[in-house]
Amino acid sequence: MSRWQFSDNLERQNQLVIDGWTVIRFSFDQVKEKPRRCQQIVQQVIGQWLGDELDQTSLSIVEKEVLRLAVRKGEAISPKEVEKYLKLSDKTVKKVLSQLVDKKMLIPSSGVKRVRSYRLGDQVKRPIW
């Protein structure tokens, strides 16, 4: 790697950090020779973020799973998606989504009287991979 390439890589990483990304670095040799170890590190980062962030709040298991779905999807989620994902009734899903809106964990992203989708609230810390 040349000095220019090294500097460019550092600058790109700095820009990602400034933009709120979480950066995990692996060498080619690490991925090739110890892929399981690399996978474990990624899982630890995800587990630390989701586990610590969500466990510090007073959320039910269902509420946590709805937030995990929203984080994984990376865009607005609909009540129908939540119903299908958690195998719950529409009434239960509407109640859970309403509770998450009250806790400012979700924000309605479409509709006023009849909300069709929700996005993560600003107080939910998002990992960006």
Side-chain angles (χ1 to χ4, degrees), residues 57-71:
T57 62
S58 58
L59 298 175
S60 70
I61 292 171
V62 174
E63 289 171 328
K64 289 178 187 180
E65 286 305 314
V66 170
L67 292 178
R68 285 187 177 104
L69 172 65
V71 167

Side-chain angles (χ1 to χ4, degrees), residues 6 8 10-11 15 21 24 35 39 46 51-52 65 70 76 84 88-89 98 102 124 126:
F6 181 73
D8 186 52
L10 293 177
E11 185 176 338
Q15 289 300 321
W21 289 65
I24 307 169
Q39 183 183 27
I46 293 170
D52 291 349
E65 286 305 314
K84 185 176 178 182
L88 297 172
S89 70
S98 176
D102 291 343
V124 177
R126 296 166 193 75

Side-chain angles (χ1 to χ4, degrees), residues 12-124:
R12 283 188 292 148
Q13 179 176 337
N14 290 340
Q15 289 300 321
L16 290 171
V17 171
I18 289 168
D19 289 342
W21 289 65
T22 300
V23 178
I24 307 169
R25 298 175 58 143
F26 299 103
S27 69
F28 175 77
D29 290 337
Q30 286 175 302
V31 174
K32 185 179 176 186
E33 295 170 16
K34 299 179 182 177
R36 180 66 183 130
R37 180 68 186 131
C38 295
Q39 183 183 27
Q40 288 171 337
I41 291 171
V42 171
Q43 288 173 335
Q44 286 174 333
V45 170
I46 293 170
Q48 182 180 36
W49 182 85
L50 285 176
D52 291 349
E53 184 69 22
L54 296 180
D55 287 341
Q56 291 176 4
T57 62
S58 58
L59 298 175
S60 70
I61 292 171
V62 174
E63 289 171 328
K64 289 178 187 180
E65 286 305 314
V66 170
L67 292 178
R68 285 187 177 104
L69 172 65
V71 167
R72 270 188 248 123
K73 187 171 181 201
E75 57 187 45
I77 58 172
S78 70
K80 287 285 183 199
E81 287 176 295
V82 176
E83 285 177 37
K84 185 176 178 182
Y85 177 70
L86 296 176
K87 296 176 177 53
L88 297 172
S89 70
D90 62 335
K91 188 175 180 179
T92 302
V93 167
K94 288 175 187 174
K95 180 180 173 187
V96 170
L97 292 172
S98 176
Q99 290 168 341
L100 287 170
V101 168
D102 291 343
K103 294 177 182 179
K104 298 186 179 8
M105 300 296 230
L106 288 180
I107 299 170
S109 65
S110 71
V112 178
K113 288 186 177 184
R114 185 179 270 177
V115 180
R116 292 177 199 85
S117 64
Y118 298 83
R119 63 181 173 84
L120 289 172
D122 293 334
Q123 74 182 70
V124 177

